[in-house]
Amino acid sequence: MTASLITAALAFSTRALQLNLDGITHEHSLVQPPGGNCVNWQVGHVVRHRNYMLEALSAQTVWSADAQARYDRGSQPITSDGADVAHLDVLRREFELSTERLTAALAGAGEAALAAPAGQGTVAQRLMTLALHEA
């Protein structure tokens, strides 16, 4: 699996998220749909998982560990604004920053770095799994 394939997968989901956020306000992003998570949580969850990708590439993450907890799997639904809820504009900027950092890290990652062990597979496999999760 090559860096260019992973970069292409991330570019596709980046564009999809950008298109889906068009016209969404912060207030709209907090509306909790039945049987799912609000847009705010979903975007924050993507940024959270992009931090995992950045860590796998030994690149600078976007968030600290403390900032990520609100958007963990299994966290309480976001139903209103609060001190632990990031504004959608902030989430958008952090998503863009994660895209820039991932693109740069992947461009500099050699085959050996992508083939290195990570969990039960390789760094490349972990990145692709996270990219598919994001999509």
Side-chain angles (χ1 to χ4, degrees):
M1 195 168 315
T2 66
S4 62
L5 179 61
I6 298 165
T7 301
L10 290 172
F12 178 82
S13 61
T14 295
R15 184 69 179 134
L17 183 66
Q18 290 167 334
L19 289 170
N20 283 304
L21 288 177
D22 189 37
I24 301 292
T25 65
H26 176 67
E27 292 73 26
H28 289 133
S29 80
L30 300 174
V31 174
Q32 183 70 31
N37 290 305
C38 69
V39 169
N40 183 285
W41 186 90
Q42 291 174 9
V43 177
H45 190 68
V46 169
V47 174
R48 168 87 164 112
H49 281 78
R50 283 186 167 207
N51 269 348
Y52 290 141
M53 292 182 202
L54 289 163
E55 288 170 357
L57 291 164
S58 300
Q60 182 183 3
T61 60
V62 176
W63 283 349
S64 67
D66 291 341
Q68 299 179 58
R70 183 67 189 95
Y71 297 94
D72 276 340
R73 182 179 61 151
S75 60
Q76 290 298 312
I78 295 173
T79 57
S80 63
D81 222 345
D84 63 341
V85 175
H87 194 280
L88 184 61
D89 291 341
V90 172
L91 289 174
R92 286 178 173 173
R93 283 193 303 273
E94 291 167 342
F95 176 76
E96 293 300 326
L97 180 58
S98 73
T99 300
E100 293 168 12
R101 289 183 181 172
L102 280 168
T103 301
L106 283 163
E111 289 300 317
L114 293 175
Q120 297 180 356
T122 65
V123 168
Q125 289 168 329
R126 175 135 174 84
L127 294 173
M128 201 59 181
T129 298
L130 290 168
L132 290 171
H133 170 76
E134 176 177 309

